[in-house]
Amino acid sequence: MLFYLNDAERDEIKSVIHKTFANIGWKEKDLEKLIAKNMPRLIPQNQLMVLFQEKPFQEAADIYALDIKGDLSIFELKRWQGHQENILQVLRYGQIYGQYSYEQLQEMLRKYEKVGDLDLAEKHYEYFEEAIQHKLNKADFNRQQHFVVITNGTDLDTRNAIKYWKDKGLLIDSIIYRVYEIGGRYIFEFNPYNPEGEVIIEEEERNYIVNTNLTWSKTDYRDMLDNQKAAAYGSRRHGIKNLKKGDTVFLYHRGVGVIAYGKVLGQYKSKYREDKNEEEYYVDLKF
């Protein structure tokens, strides 16, 4: 929630009233186009490639995207507060599109890009070429599905339902966005989403969170603690390059919370990890 600060009476705050897209005359399709076009900025580290957007009069989710591994992300967007029915709806789409073959996904992309002979594996490789060494095989695509419900606020029942399904192993998340009107301008607040949960997120000015790469490695966090550094690997390296001397970095361990923090001592460094066959980008920290 946003608040106005009263500089004269410094113990007083006044809330900024948030609006919905419906309030400001935007349609659900406008929200869909906004997110699809700005996916690299809204989804950290450019991890998702838009595959398709909903067409009128089709039983389809709003946005489909592929991640670096070829897994399918299914987005369901709402202009208003979320409800449990949103979860049932996005799971229904997962039941349909989770069974799609490589050829069917390729046809979706061809319609979206309006290119009749486009090759999905080649397009995917071009999009992620800085992070992968070769094109994926057809069998690598759509092995798993990630479900994302994006709403203007989420009610308690929806949060409980998402927690229940996440605890059961379903890859489902909720993104909350808000719209504010401040000084005659509309402000769009969007909580970044990453299926793997292993990216760097700027939390506030010059304060950063660095996740400890738990999804990919059970030991990298120990290396960060023992050597007093913040590190990222492969496709998640870009955030490290943005860190500057004097920045405060919090090391976040999924399922535990912040396990350490420190000040950045200088520019980022890189080295090749032969045991993992990947580049490591890191900054030294003073805990």
Side-chain angles (χ1 to χ4, degrees):
M1 192 170 185
L2 297 180
F3 295 92
Y4 292 105
L5 294 179
N6 188 333
D7 195 44
E9 300 292 337
R10 297 195 176 187
D11 59 348
E12 292 185 0
I13 58 175
K14 181 181 179 182
S15 62
V16 180
I17 305 300
H18 73 266
K19 298 178 176 292
T20 67
F21 273 100
N23 292 152
I24 65 174
W26 285 42
K27 298 179 180 178
E28 196 166 292
K29 194 67 177 178
D30 295 322
L31 175 61
E32 175 193 319
K33 290 179 179 178
L34 178 71
I35 293 175
K37 183 177 181 179
N38 294 281
M39 188 76 76
R41 300 180 67 184
L42 295 174
I43 308 300
Q45 311 309 319
N46 200 22
Q47 284 196 334
L48 293 175
M49 180 188 85
V50 176
L51 179 72
F52 191 72
Q53 286 180 247
E54 177 192 30
K55 298 292 184 182
F57 312 112
Q58 288 185 358
E59 185 176 13
D62 294 301
I63 301 173
Y64 297 86
L66 293 174
D67 67 12
I68 193 170
K69 296 183 293 185
D71 290 338
L72 183 66
S73 290
I74 301 174
F75 290 80
E76 182 64 15
L77 283 53
K78 296 297 178 186
R79 288 187 302 164
W80 50 82
Q81 183 170 317
H83 297 284
Q84 293 187 71
E85 289 77 8
N86 300 148
I87 298 175
L88 297 177
Q89 191 171 8
V90 76
L91 294 182
R92 167 63 179 162
Y93 298 142
Q95 180 181 341
I96 298 172
Y97 292 90
Q99 302 179 56
Y100 264 37
S101 65
Y102 172 86
E103 287 73 21
Q104 287 173 302
L105 294 179
Q106 181 171 259
E107 185 60 27
M108 291 173 70
L109 182 61
R110 287 176 174 179
K111 290 180 179 178
Y112 181 66
E113 297 282 352
K114 298 180 180 179
V115 178
D117 59 350
L118 187 150
D119 182 83
L120 173 58
E122 183 65 32
K123 180 73 174 181
H124 181 270
Y125 175 67
E126 290 175 0
Y127 192 85
F128 292 105
E129 64 179 342
E130 289 188 1
I132 56 179
Q133 296 179 345
H134 54 77
K135 291 194 299 185
L136 297 182
N137 297 317
K138 291 183 179 181
D140 294 326
F141 286 90
N142 207 15
R143 287 183 172 180
Q144 290 192 99
Q145 296 79 46
H146 302 267
F147 303 96
V148 189
V149 179
I150 302 181
T151 61
N152 184 46
T154 305
D155 61 305
L156 182 60
D157 288 342
T158 302
R159 291 199 300 269
N160 288 337
I162 288 176
K163 182 179 185 304
Y164 172 82
W165 287 112
K166 285 176 69 74
D167 290 344
K168 295 297 182 181
L170 188 67
L171 300 175
I172 185 168
D173 283 280
S174 172
I175 295 179
I176 297 176
Y177 70 86
R178 291 185 174 86
V179 178
Y180 301 89
E181 185 177 2
I182 301 176
R185 298 182 62 187
Y186 295 123
I187 307 298
F188 182 54
E189 179 187 15
F190 190 88
N191 294 318
Y193 161 74
N194 174 7
E196 299 300 341
E198 302 297 342
V199 300
I200 298 165
I201 303 172
E202 184 174 358
E203 188 173 65
E204 53 187 65
E205 187 176 2
R206 308 321 309 174
N207 291 336
Y208 293 79
I209 294 175
V210 175
N211 286 305
T212 56
N213 202 37
L214 184 60
T215 296
W216 303 94
S217 170
K218 305 301 181 186
T219 59
D220 284 341
Y221 84 95
R222 192 69 260 172
D223 180 46
M224 293 187 205
L225 292 176
D226 291 343
N227 293 290
Q228 296 193 29
K229 64 181 182 180
Y233 314 90
S235 64
R236 298 174 296 282
R237 67 187 182 277
H238 302 289
I240 286 291
K241 293 183 176 181
N242 294 328
L243 298 176
K244 300 183 184 301
K245 183 177 180 180
D247 289 348
T248 299
V249 172
F250 297 87
L251 297 182
Y252 181 85
H253 199 58
R254 184 161 52 84
V256 177
V258 174
I259 57 175
Y261 72 94
K263 293 284 188 180
V264 177
L265 295 178
Q267 288 188 320
Y268 77 90
K269 305 173 185 177
S270 67
K271 65 180 180 180
Y272 185 72
R273 303 202 300 178
E274 293 186 1
D275 58 327
K276 300 277 179 84
N277 191 31
E278 65 181 359
E279 285 285 331
E280 174 187 348
Y281 290 74
Y282 65 97
V283 291
D284 294 318
L285 299 176
K286 181 179 180 181
F287 285 175

